[in-house]
Amino acid sequence: MANTEMKRLLVKSTFGVGRDFSVYDDEAATNKVYFIDAKMGFGTKAEIKSADGALLYTAKGKVINIPRKMDYFAPDGTTVARVVAQFSPIKQRLTMELANGKKWELEGNFVGKNYTVVEGDKTIIEINQKWLTLRDKYFVEIASDVDIALALGLIWAVDIWREGKNN
């Protein structure tokens, strides 16, 4: 990995119909910095919000599509990224294409939630899961020069696809 400062965050999710995430900047989970609000309905949808409730991005996917796709929109409706994921017993591949032309590639173990996201040869996201009884939580490290809210939206999409929710 290149010399990049990483920000460590704690992600806590709840099992249920939607799969909401609360994201904290401390291990004690006392200082919430982001919230991902999963929505019920036709298709997969979530709002990625700051701790004060301001909408940062909306993620939307279709109910049935192969390969799986998720689009990310700014509050004004502008498309900022698209994730394309192909899951098979042989190979798992996921790419996020940003509107600025950059590509994020996910590598590693999706099922065990131990994976990294790279941009070129630079690691920009690292995920390490720890399971609890009723909730799961895990640590995420995100490069300081990466859009954290968008990175969290990608992690949410991987999580719901891994769980087989909504498509």
Side-chain angles (χ1 to χ4, degrees):
M1 176 172 76
N3 275 341
T4 302
E5 184 177 325
M6 303 291 274
K7 178 157 183 71
R8 185 179 178 129
L9 300 168
L10 174 67
V11 176
K12 291 178 77 172
S13 64
T14 55
F15 291 102
V17 177
R19 196 74 188 239
D20 294 343
F21 280 1
S22 293
V23 183
Y24 303 87
D25 66 359
D26 64 324
E27 292 187 26
T30 58
N31 189 38
K32 187 184 327 184
V33 290
Y34 294 96
F35 180 69
I36 300 180
D37 185 11
K39 303 292 183 182
M40 289 185 58
F42 191 72
T44 305
K45 182 178 178 182
E47 293 178 343
I48 301 139
K49 299 176 179 182
S50 64
D52 65 2
L55 179 64
L56 304 172
Y57 295 107
T58 300
K60 293 181 184 178
K62 294 190 174 31
V63 173
I64 299 174
N65 53 339
I66 299 175
R68 294 180 177 168
K69 294 178 185 165
M70 182 81 62
D71 292 310
Y72 295 81
F73 303 94
D76 67 2
T78 306
T79 302
V80 294
R82 170 174 270 185
V83 175
V84 177
Q86 295 178 320
F87 300 106
S88 75
I90 300 168
K91 187 171 184 172
Q92 299 176 341
R93 182 174 175 209
L94 186 141
T95 302
M96 179 179 241
E97 295 182 25
L98 283 66
N100 64 9
K102 293 182 180 182
K103 287 187 181 184
W104 296 355
E105 301 282 339
L106 192 141
E107 302 172 343
N109 179 347
F110 296 0
V111 175
K113 274 195 191 171
N114 289 302
Y115 58 87
T116 60
V117 177
V118 297
E119 182 182 304
D121 63 353
K122 176 184 165 189
T123 299
I124 59 171
I125 304 170
E126 295 178 348
I127 288 83
N128 182 2
Q129 168 112 25
K130 289 186 178 183
W131 286 96
L132 297 177
T133 307
L134 296 175
R135 298 176 180 257
D136 64 326
K137 72 176 182 177
Y138 49 93
F139 293 103
V140 176
E141 293 191 15
I142 301 174
S144 58
D145 60 348
V146 168
D147 183 332
I148 292 174
L150 192 56
L152 292 169
L154 170 63
I155 293 164
W156 174 82
V158 171
D159 194 66
I160 61 163
W161 286 334
R162 186 183 67 82
E163 294 291 327
K165 298 206 185 279
N166 295 327
N167 44 344

